[in-house]
Amino acid sequence: MKSPFRWPGQSPPSGPWKWVLILGALLLCFTLIGFLLVPWLIRRQLVAAAAKQLHRSATVSAVRFNPFTLETRIIAFDLRDRDGTPLFAFDTMVVNLSIMSVVHRPISLDEFRLVRPAAVARIDPQGNLAAADLLAGDSAAPGDTTATRPPRLE
Protein backbone atom coordinates (compact mmCIF):
# COMPACT_ATOMS: atom_id res chain seq x y z
CA MET A 1 0.00 0.00 0.00
CA LYS A 2 1.37 3.37 -0.98
CA SER A 3 1.73 6.18 1.50
CA PRO A 4 -0.58 9.19 0.98
CA PHE A 5 2.34 11.52 1.74
CA ARG A 6 4.57 12.71 -1.02
CA TRP A 7 8.31 12.98 -0.86
CA PRO A 8 10.17 15.33 -3.19
CA GLY A 9 10.44 13.83 -6.64
CA GLN A 10 7.49 11.43 -6.20
CA SER A 11 4.28 11.59 -8.17
CA PRO A 12 1.14 12.96 -6.45
CA PRO A 13 -1.16 10.46 -4.72
CA SER A 14 -3.57 8.63 -6.96
CA GLY A 15 -6.56 6.37 -6.58
CA PRO A 16 -8.47 6.40 -3.29
CA TRP A 17 -5.79 8.41 -1.46
CA LYS A 18 -6.35 11.31 -3.82
CA TRP A 19 -10.05 11.45 -2.92
CA VAL A 20 -9.35 11.05 0.79
CA LEU A 21 -7.00 14.03 0.68
CA ILE A 22 -9.45 16.14 -1.34
CA LEU A 23 -12.35 15.36 1.02
CA GLY A 24 -10.14 16.01 4.04
CA ALA A 25 -9.07 19.38 2.65
CA LEU A 26 -12.70 20.32 1.92
CA LEU A 27 -13.77 19.30 5.42
CA LEU A 28 -10.93 21.33 6.91
CA CYS A 29 -11.94 24.42 4.88
CA PHE A 30 -15.61 24.00 5.85
CA THR A 31 -14.65 23.69 9.52
CA LEU A 32 -12.32 26.70 9.53
CA ILE A 33 -14.79 28.91 7.68
CA GLY A 34 -17.66 27.83 9.95
CA PHE A 35 -15.89 28.17 13.28
CA LEU A 36 -13.72 31.22 12.52
CA LEU A 37 -15.03 33.30 9.61
CA VAL A 38 -18.80 33.03 10.13
CA PRO A 39 -18.77 34.30 13.77
CA TRP A 40 -16.55 37.21 12.77
CA LEU A 41 -18.92 38.12 9.92
CA ILE A 42 -22.05 37.86 12.10
CA ARG A 43 -20.54 40.06 14.80
CA ARG A 44 -19.35 42.64 12.28
CA GLN A 45 -22.72 42.72 10.47
CA LEU A 46 -24.73 43.09 13.70
CA VAL A 47 -22.74 46.13 14.76
CA ALA A 48 -22.79 47.65 11.27
CA ALA A 49 -26.53 47.06 10.79
CA ALA A 50 -27.33 48.69 14.13
CA ALA A 51 -25.34 51.77 13.12
CA LYS A 52 -26.62 51.98 9.55
CA GLN A 53 -30.26 50.92 9.84
CA LEU A 54 -31.14 51.76 13.44
CA HIS A 55 -28.77 54.69 13.96
CA ARG A 56 -27.82 53.17 17.31
CA SER A 57 -24.63 51.69 18.68
CA ALA A 58 -24.47 47.98 19.41
CA THR A 59 -21.85 45.85 21.07
CA VAL A 60 -21.48 42.09 21.00
CA SER A 61 -19.10 40.31 23.33
CA ALA A 62 -18.79 37.10 21.31
CA VAL A 63 -20.44 35.09 18.56
CA ARG A 64 -20.09 31.34 18.24
CA PHE A 65 -21.23 29.27 15.29
CA ASN A 66 -21.11 25.51 14.87
CA PRO A 67 -21.20 24.62 11.16
CA PHE A 68 -22.05 20.98 11.89
CA THR A 69 -25.15 21.64 14.02
CA LEU A 70 -25.98 25.09 12.53
CA GLU A 71 -26.20 26.57 16.04
CA THR A 72 -25.42 30.25 16.53
CA ARG A 73 -24.81 31.85 19.93
CA ILE A 74 -24.65 35.61 20.36
CA ILE A 75 -23.24 36.49 23.76
CA ALA A 76 -23.67 39.80 25.63
CA PHE A 77 -25.53 41.92 23.06
CA ASP A 78 -26.13 45.55 24.05
CA LEU A 79 -28.02 48.10 21.93
CA ARG A 80 -27.76 51.72 23.07
CA ASP A 81 -30.11 54.56 22.27
CA ARG A 82 -28.88 57.65 20.43
CA ASP A 83 -28.03 59.38 23.71
CA GLY A 84 -26.07 56.34 24.95
CA THR A 85 -28.63 55.02 27.41
CA PRO A 86 -29.44 51.27 27.38
CA LEU A 87 -32.23 50.31 24.98
CA PHE A 88 -32.14 46.52 24.52
CA ALA A 89 -29.77 43.83 25.73
CA PHE A 90 -29.51 40.13 26.39
CA ASP A 91 -26.95 37.78 27.87
CA THR A 92 -27.23 35.01 25.28
CA MET A 93 -29.28 34.30 22.20
CA VAL A 94 -29.22 30.77 20.82
CA VAL A 95 -30.57 30.07 17.33
CA ASN A 96 -30.41 26.48 16.13
CA LEU A 97 -31.37 26.13 12.48
CA SER A 98 -32.86 22.80 11.47
CA ILE A 99 -30.44 20.91 9.28
CA MET A 100 -33.32 19.74 7.07
CA SER A 101 -34.24 23.37 6.30
CA VAL A 102 -30.97 23.69 4.39
CA VAL A 103 -32.20 21.08 1.93
CA HIS A 104 -35.95 21.72 2.07
CA ARG A 105 -37.78 25.00 2.30
CA PRO A 106 -39.11 26.71 4.46
CA ILE A 107 -36.52 27.63 7.04
CA SER A 108 -37.29 26.03 10.39
CA LEU A 109 -35.67 26.42 13.77
CA ASP A 110 -34.99 23.60 16.20
CA GLU A 111 -34.35 26.08 19.00
CA PHE A 112 -34.61 29.79 19.71
CA ARG A 113 -33.64 30.90 23.21
CA LEU A 114 -33.11 34.37 24.64
CA VAL A 115 -31.42 34.46 28.06
CA ARG A 116 -32.00 37.46 30.32
CA PRO A 117 -33.43 39.94 27.83
CA ALA A 118 -33.77 43.54 28.99
CA ALA A 119 -35.58 46.36 27.22
CA VAL A 120 -35.96 49.92 28.41
CA ALA A 121 -38.92 52.11 27.46
CA ARG A 122 -38.29 55.81 28.07
CA ILE A 123 -40.23 58.95 27.27
CA ASP A 124 -38.11 61.68 25.70
CA PRO A 125 -38.48 65.40 26.59
CA GLN A 126 -40.94 65.87 23.69
CA GLY A 127 -43.27 63.26 25.20
CA ASN A 128 -42.59 60.52 22.65
CA LEU A 129 -41.33 57.03 23.19
CA ALA A 130 -37.54 57.26 22.86
CA ALA A 131 -37.42 54.34 20.41
CA ALA A 132 -40.53 55.43 18.46
CA ASP A 133 -38.47 55.99 15.31
CA LEU A 134 -37.65 52.27 15.32
CA LEU A 135 -41.34 51.40 15.27
CA ALA A 136 -42.22 53.95 12.57
CA GLY A 137 -40.71 51.80 9.81
CA ASP A 138 -38.55 52.66 6.87
CA SER A 139 -39.16 55.93 5.09
CA ALA A 140 -38.60 54.65 1.57
CA ALA A 141 -39.03 56.81 -1.49
CA PRO A 142 -42.71 57.12 -2.55
CA GLY A 143 -42.00 55.76 -6.04
CA ASP A 144 -40.17 52.73 -4.72
CA THR A 145 -42.59 49.81 -4.98
CA THR A 146 -40.10 46.96 -5.01
CA ALA A 147 -40.98 44.71 -2.14
CA THR A 148 -38.97 41.76 -0.99
CA ARG A 149 -40.56 38.82 0.71
CA PRO A 150 -39.04 37.69 3.98
CA PRO A 151 -37.97 34.07 4.27
CA ARG A 152 -40.72 31.70 5.30
CA LEU A 153 -40.33 30.28 8.79
CA GLU A 154 -42.04 27.27 10.28
Side-chain angles (χ1 to χ4, degrees):
M1 181 167 184
K2 290 184 178 179
S3 170
F5 303 104
R6 196 176 108 162
W7 297 99
Q10 289 182 334
S11 62
S14 61
W17 285 113
K18 178 180 178 181
W19 293 110
V20 168
L21 290 174
I22 289 172
L23 289 175
L26 289 174
L27 182 64
L28 178 66
C29 288
F30 177 77
T31 303
L32 290 175
I33 288 170
F35 281 109
L36 301 176
L37 183 63
V38 170
W40 178 78
L41 286 173
I42 291 172
R43 184 177 183 184
R44 185 174 170 206
Q45 289 300 314
L46 277 174
V47 172
K52 183 178 179 183
Q53 296 175 358
L54 303 178
H55 309 290
R56 307 289 197 280
S57 66
T59 57
V60 177
S61 176
V63 175
R64 294 189 181 112
F65 178 73
N66 185 331
F68 299 110
T69 62
L70 301 181
E71 180 180 279
T72 305
R73 287 181 183 265
I74 300 172
I75 300 167
F77 177 82
D78 185 22
L79 181 67
R80 297 284 171 154
D81 207 351
R82 293 178 187 198
D83 60 359
T85 58
L87 186 62
F88 179 71
F90 55 80
D91 283 350
T92 306
M93 180 172 73
V94 178
V95 178
N96 194 346
L97 185 67
S98 172
I99 292 182
M100 290 308 295
S101 70
V102 173
V103 179
H104 305 290
R105 299 279 175 169
I107 296 172
S108 61
L109 302 177
D110 286 339
E111 177 184 15
F112 179 83
R113 185 173 14 133
L114 201 56
V115 178
R116 291 188 52 195
V120 177
R122 292 182 304 109
I123 304 297
D124 65 11
Q126 291 81 20
N128 299 322
L129 186 63
D133 60 323
L134 296 175
L135 303 173
D138 215 7
S139 57
D144 187 17
T145 58
T146 59
T148 59
R149 295 179 58 202
R152 215 174 94 199
L153 295 175
E154 270 189 8

